[in-house]
Amino acid sequence: MMKTIYKSVEGKNKILELYDSQLARLGVPYKDIFVDTTFGKTHLVETGMPSNVSGKLMQRCKAPTLVMAAEKDCLFPGERLIRRAQEIIPNCTTYLIKGRGHLHYMTDEEKEMIRTFLK
């Protein structure tokens, strides 16, 4: 049996409530997906790529948004994705991951960027 990351049921419920409230702030449709991984069930949120979502709909997104895209991503070219995100997401911070493709590692600097953004 996998250990839980939560210290208590009450703590888990508070975190999940906060999580749900942040998702609601997106103001765009999303879909919850649960995937089996080596860490157990992992929760993913699918909102679509900036190229296939409505720009008008994304203008309603009021939450601060971090978009990180890989320069050599063959599925979602980084520079194009970032340009589109900047056009349609009002409160958007972008970062181009140079020299890497679709499946890549993250440097300590990039991980720290995410932590700082989430504070």
Side-chain angles (χ1 to χ4, degrees), residues 81-93:
L81 186 137
I82 284 176
R83 195 169 38 254
R84 175 77 172 144
Q86 289 170 334
E87 290 171 2
I88 67 173
I89 303 172
N91 194 3
C92 185
T93 299

Side-chain angles (χ1 to χ4, degrees), residues 50-90:
S51 62
N52 67 3
V53 296
S54 162
K56 188 174 182 180
L57 193 59
M58 289 305 296
Q59 288 295 315
R60 293 178 24 208
C61 178
K62 303 301 181 203
T65 305
L66 175 62
V67 175
M68 300 176 87
E71 179 180 39
K72 295 183 178 183
D73 190 324
C74 60
L75 300 175
F76 309 105
E79 289 180 5
R80 204 168 108 210
L81 186 137
I82 284 176
R83 195 169 38 254
R84 175 77 172 144
Q86 289 170 334
E87 290 171 2
I88 67 173
I89 303 172

